[in-house]
Amino acid sequence: MAYVKNLFDQNFIQYASYVIRDRAIPEITDGLKPVQRRIIHTLIKTDDGRFTKVANVVGKVMAYHPHGDASIYTALVNLANKELFIDKQGNFGNMFTGDTAAAPRYIECRLRSITKDILNTNPRITEYVDTYDGRDVEPVSFQAKLPLILIMGAEGIAVGMSTYILSHNIHEVIEAEKKCLRGEKFQLYPDFPTGGLIDVSDYADGLGKIITRAKMDTSDEKKIIITELPYGSTTTSLCDSIEKAVKNGKIKATSIQDYTSDKVNIEIKLQRGVYTKDVVDSLYAFTDCEQTIYCNLLVIKDNMPVQMTCTQVIEYHSKQLVGILKKELELEKADLMEKLHLRTLERIFVEERIYKKIETQKTEEGVYKAVKDGFKPFEAELIRPITDEDIDHLLRIPIRRISLYDMNKNKQEVKAINDRIKEINKLLKHLVDYAISWLEGIEKKLDSATLKRKTKITNINAVDVKSVVKRDTPLKYDEKTGYLGTAVSGGNEVLKVTPYDKILYVRKSGIYSVSQTPDKLFVGPQLRYCGFADKESLSKVLFTILYRDPATQYVYIKRCKIEAYIMNRDYFFAPDGMEILHIDTRKNFSFQLNYVKKPKVKTTKESFQASKYEEKSLKAKGVRVAAKEVQTITIQEEKQKIGELFDNVEE
């Protein structure tokens, strides 16, 4: 057993680590999950500018992704619908209606040119590793120049953790990064392609929550038109929630029509006598027209899951952008220096006729030595010492090219190289300014439609469902069966309730409880009280309890109010072991004690007024009414009606 337990623990840890790092949680460096990264890597590798069948792309991605074609196809469609990296052709679904994309054999895609600008694929900068079968290589993570994790958003559930990152407007993200590079303050808020309204008061920089609402046209007092969706909804799910609310009587509408195509258009026609202003709050309260979204910005950073804020992500990517641009400039400068070195070698080799010195050589060693000796007088002009590889390059120059060598053209090339090197040196000294100019340049390449904010930020006072719903559901009590609830068929109606009310009920035994409005709950016969358990209602109800001590037969009276409780828990009005004789909610009533008959005792009964006794706390003991043994009690006033028993709050 110990061996099995250790084996399970070890394998579970490996599985959890794999799911967290390699499947569910995106990488901070490029904001992508492994399947997304492999899709983009495949498109970059096979890019020829033409559209390709998605089925073909999926097949090629399977060389890198070992989890089947279905997950690849779904991820590719979702990535294409972000409209940043992939151009699409055909039916890729409808984000408004929730309609799925066509089969992969019918739709096509291709890489957008801007992808290579945003993602650095240079193997001298981006680390590559072997694929799962060792036949190819794939990037560990792209070196992204933009914080894609914020632009595209992400969600995923791993073992013991999850991430929910909302998408942000790319223009605002770029502006935030520019401000960060300048050392200025910035603030980021979500933006969704479906539009709608959001309240970001509790966004907490990506770790809090937002309230999102549908945008409605309420200009017609008899008709409501939904023109933009709240985040996380589709027209199908929204219409379903509205139809459910209508069926349950929460919203009074005669028809719900969905005319959505490339724009959202849901038309709700109201019943006669019902107007738009009466229904809007109910739509927010009882349907998906208003939703609360909780965020959790969890990413993989340095191979570990880390919770970050939007500000921290921007700061991280600002440093990463500067680092990538620096590496690119340094590599370009190194390549130019190498190119300049070769141009200098070629010029000296031809201009000084060093190639003539190899004509008399009989061996390869002699040739190499002759070339090296020929360059000794010109070592000061060389950028670095000459190597055998340099000599190989010179010896491969065709005779035709040597004879037609253009010295002026060589000088122009050398001048252009030197000018670019000077420009690079200048950029390396002002990397922050260069990074800002790069961000401005990439923004110009983006489609103007993607730069516009689609979701409007506003202050939303969340609708309290309890304040909107009407108390119109009968709560019945059947004394014969002992059942209380909204689903009880027989008995008498005791209250009009809502599903959100808390109900206090007191049994004849003196036990009381508080629960949500019950459908059908057994409370026993002779229920003594039933009413609302909110503070306002309870503050108006004074309970009078008459109980007897079985040991002494003395009767005690206790007058109190219920001020606090725990839901679905039984409480007892009297001390343990006491016998409850009567429970009343009237402010005043008379009761008679019938004493145990004894010899030489003339007084056999005595009357009392309940109002003469003071109110005490719920936990206090009762006051002894008389120092005599009591056999029975009689409530002298007229017996309460059923309605009085169940709710005397307004008395």
Side-chain angles (χ1 to χ4, degrees):
M1 287 297 294
Y3 170 76
V4 173
K5 183 180 183 302
N6 292 335
L7 185 65
F8 177 83
D9 290 344
Q10 181 181 357
N11 290 339
F12 181 77
I13 290 171
Q14 290 179 354
Y15 166 74
S17 176
Y18 169 73
V19 172
I20 291 168
R21 294 185 303 171
D22 296 329
R23 292 191 73 174
I25 312 299
E27 168 70 44
I28 180 65
T29 309
D30 57 10
L32 301 173
K33 295 181 182 180
V35 64
Q36 294 173 323
R37 188 178 301 113
R38 287 160 179 162
I39 289 168
I40 293 176
H41 171 65
T42 302
L43 289 172
I44 290 173
K45 192 173 180 180
T46 60
D47 181 40
D48 59 2
R50 296 184 296 176
F51 280 102
T52 306
K53 289 285 187 184
V54 167
N56 190 12
V57 176
V58 169
K60 292 176 180 177
V61 176
M62 288 183 71
Y64 306 97
H65 193 68
H67 299 295
D69 60 333
S71 61
I72 299 171
Y73 163 66
T74 303
L76 193 153
V77 169
N78 291 336
L79 195 60
N81 285 329
K82 302 287 185 182
E83 297 187 344
L84 181 62
F85 295 130
I86 301 174
D87 276 329
K88 52 190 182 180
Q89 187 167 273
N91 177 17
F92 273 74
N94 189 320
M95 65 177 173
F96 298 129
T97 63
D99 293 338
T100 57
R105 62 185 179 275
Y106 297 125
I107 54 179
E108 298 178 321
C109 67
R110 68 179 176 189
L111 193 74
R112 287 188 174 181
S113 58
I114 199 170
T115 305
K116 295 178 182 178
D117 294 326
I118 297 173
L119 301 177
N120 186 291
T121 58
N122 190 329
R124 291 187 289 177
I125 296 177
T126 299
E127 181 184 358
Y128 284 76
V129 294
D130 289 341
T131 56
Y132 67 93
D133 60 1
R135 287 188 172 91
D136 206 339
V137 293
E138 62 176 323
V140 174
S141 63
F142 289 114
Q143 297 296 304
K145 297 177 185 176
L146 290 178
L148 301 176
I149 194 71
L150 295 180
I151 295 169
M152 298 194 301
E155 58 181 287
I157 300 174
V159 179
M161 61 184 67
S162 64
T163 185
Y164 204 127
I165 306 168
L166 301 181
S167 60
H168 297 71
N169 181 271
I170 190 169
H171 167 70
E172 294 176 6
V173 170
I174 291 174
E175 288 301 313
E177 197 164 359
K178 285 159 65 176
K179 287 181 179 179
C180 182
L181 289 167
R182 296 191 190 105
E184 300 172 3
K185 292 183 179 180
F186 59 90
Q187 193 78 48
L188 271 178
Y189 297 117
D191 184 31
F192 310 121
T194 53
L197 310 173
I198 58 169
D199 186 333
V200 295
S201 304
D202 299 319
Y203 186 51
D205 210 11
L207 297 177
K209 66 177 182 178
I210 64 163
I211 299 173
T212 173
R213 277 184 175 179
K215 189 175 181 181
M216 301 179 186
D217 179 359
T218 57
S219 57
D220 189 334
E221 63 178 11
K222 293 297 294 177
K223 182 172 63 178
I224 296 174
I225 298 176
I226 298 174
T227 57
E228 293 180 13
L229 297 174
Y231 176 70
S233 295
T234 63
T235 56
T236 303
S237 65
L238 197 61
C239 287
D240 288 344
S241 70
I242 297 171
E243 287 173 1
K244 184 178 179 182
V246 171
K247 184 178 179 181
N248 293 335
K250 308 300 182 186
I251 296 169
K252 296 180 179 179
T254 57
S255 68
I256 305 160
Q257 299 294 332
D258 185 4
Y259 299 114
T260 301
S261 54
D262 58 333
K263 291 184 180 180
V264 176
N265 189 340
I266 299 174
E267 182 182 271
I268 306 170
K269 291 184 178 179
L270 306 179
Q271 292 180 5
R272 181 178 297 178
V274 180
Y275 299 95
T276 299
K277 59 183 177 61
D278 304 321
V279 177
V280 170
D281 283 348
S282 296
L283 282 171
Y284 290 141
F286 301 114
T287 73
D288 289 346
C289 287
E290 176 180 305
Q291 297 187 54
T292 300
I293 308 293
Y294 292 88
C295 319
N296 185 30
L297 211 166
L298 185 75
V299 296
I300 299 297
K301 180 184 177 186
D302 299 327
N303 216 27
M304 292 290 290
V306 178
Q307 192 179 58
M308 302 179 72
T309 64
C310 292
T311 301
Q312 290 171 336
V313 172
I314 292 293
E315 290 171 349
Y316 178 91
H317 270 276
S318 296
K319 293 178 182 177
Q320 180 169 288
L321 173 61
V322 171
I324 294 171
L325 294 176
K326 181 181 179 182
K327 288 179 183 178
E328 287 180 345
L329 289 173
E330 288 174 344
L331 288 174
E332 185 184 358
K333 180 181 176 181
D335 291 342
L336 289 172
M337 293 297 289
E338 183 66 17
K339 191 175 181 181
L340 183 62
H341 174 70
L342 293 176
R343 292 293 176 269
T344 304
L345 287 178
E346 291 172 0
R347 177 182 60 79
I348 297 172
F349 187 70
V350 175
E351 191 176 35
E352 303 300 331
R353 298 181 179 273
I354 294 176
Y355 60 87
K356 290 287 186 180
K357 297 181 180 181
I358 67 175
E359 294 177 353
T360 58
Q361 301 300 319
K362 304 294 185 181
T363 63
E364 185 177 351
E365 291 78 6
V367 170
Y368 275 74
K369 186 176 183 304
V371 174
K372 284 184 179 180
D373 291 343
F375 274 97
K376 284 183 179 180
F378 311 100
E379 286 179 351
E381 298 182 41
L382 300 180
I383 294 171
R384 59 172 176 78
I386 191 169
T387 63
D388 289 347
E389 288 75 16
D390 294 335
I391 296 174
D392 286 336
H393 171 75
L394 294 172
L395 294 176
R396 284 196 294 269
I397 299 176
I399 295 297
R400 178 183 177 84
R401 185 180 163 195
I402 292 174
S403 61
L404 298 175
Y405 192 75
D406 190 338
M407 299 299 296
N408 290 327
K409 184 179 179 181
N410 181 272
K411 288 179 180 179
Q412 290 174 0
E413 288 183 6
V414 169
K415 183 179 182 303
I417 292 171
N418 282 322
D419 290 344
R420 178 56 184 164
I421 291 173
K422 288 179 182 178
E423 186 180 351
I424 290 173
N425 289 333
K426 184 179 179 181
L427 292 174
L428 287 170
K429 291 179 181 179
H430 302 87
L431 279 172
V432 172
D433 293 334
Y434 176 46
I436 293 172
S437 66
W438 184 90
L439 289 170
E440 291 172 347
I442 202 71
E443 193 169 9
K444 291 177 182 177
K445 294 182 180 181
L446 293 168
D447 184 7
S448 59
T450 63
L451 300 177
K452 295 179 181 178
R453 168 167 277 277
K454 297 178 178 64
T455 305
K456 184 180 179 181
I457 297 174
T458 184
N459 291 323
I460 295 175
N461 295 320
V463 177
D464 185 2
V465 176
K466 298 176 185 177
S467 65
V468 176
V469 67
K470 294 181 180 179
R471 282 177 171 163
D472 55 6
T473 304
L475 180 71
K476 293 183 178 181
Y477 171 62
D478 190 342
E479 192 168 1
K480 292 181 180 179
T481 61
Y483 280 100
L484 173 73
T486 55
V488 175
S489 56
N492 298 298
E493 180 182 318
V494 293
L495 292 171
K496 291 283 191 181
V497 297
T498 74
Y500 308 101
D501 284 325
K502 294 177 182 177
I503 305 299
L504 168 69
Y505 48 90
V506 181
R507 299 179 176 93
K508 181 184 177 183
S509 61
I511 295 174
Y512 68 90
S513 301
V514 177
S515 69
Q516 289 293 137
T517 301
D519 292 330
K520 192 174 183 180
L521 177 69
F522 181 76
V523 295
Q526 298 185 17
L527 189 67
R528 296 308 303 162
Y529 174 81
C530 182
F532 298 112
D534 57 271
K535 288 185 179 180
E536 183 181 356
S537 298
L538 290 177
S539 67
K540 297 177 182 178
V541 183
L542 179 64
F543 290 94
T544 302
I545 300 96
L546 293 170
Y547 66 87
R548 179 170 56 189
D549 186 345
T552 63
Q553 296 292 300
Y554 292 161
V555 169
Y556 296 80
I557 186 171
K558 177 179 177 181
R559 309 195 83 194
C560 60
K561 291 181 179 179
I562 298 173
E563 297 177 347
Y565 55 82
I566 296 175
M567 295 283 290
N568 302 312
R569 178 176 172 180
D570 288 341
Y571 294 91
F572 191 50
F573 273 119
D576 290 341
M578 298 296 106
E579 177 190 1
I580 299 294
L581 300 177
H582 181 69
I583 299 172
D584 213 304
T585 57
R586 292 173 292 177
K587 292 181 180 179
N588 186 30
F589 64 94
S590 299
F591 61 94
Q592 178 181 289
L593 300 185
N594 302 313
Y595 300 127
V596 176
K597 294 180 180 180
K598 292 185 177 181
K600 298 181 181 181
V601 176
K602 295 181 180 180
T603 305
T604 59
K605 57 185 177 181
E606 194 173 357
S607 296
F608 301 89
Q609 286 288 333
S611 60
K612 292 183 178 180
Y613 295 89
E614 294 182 357
E615 178 186 339
K616 292 191 174 184
S617 69
L618 186 62
K619 294 182 179 180
K621 292 183 178 180
V623 177
R624 189 175 64 184
V625 179
K628 294 181 181 180
E629 297 175 358
V630 177
Q631 187 171 2
T632 61
I633 67 168
T634 303
I635 307 301
Q636 292 182 336
E637 291 189 3
E638 183 183 352
K639 189 177 180 181
Q640 289 173 293
K641 296 178 181 178
I642 191 74
E644 293 174 333
L645 278 170
F646 293 118
D647 197 3
N648 291 306
V649 173
E650 300 301 329
E651 290 186 3

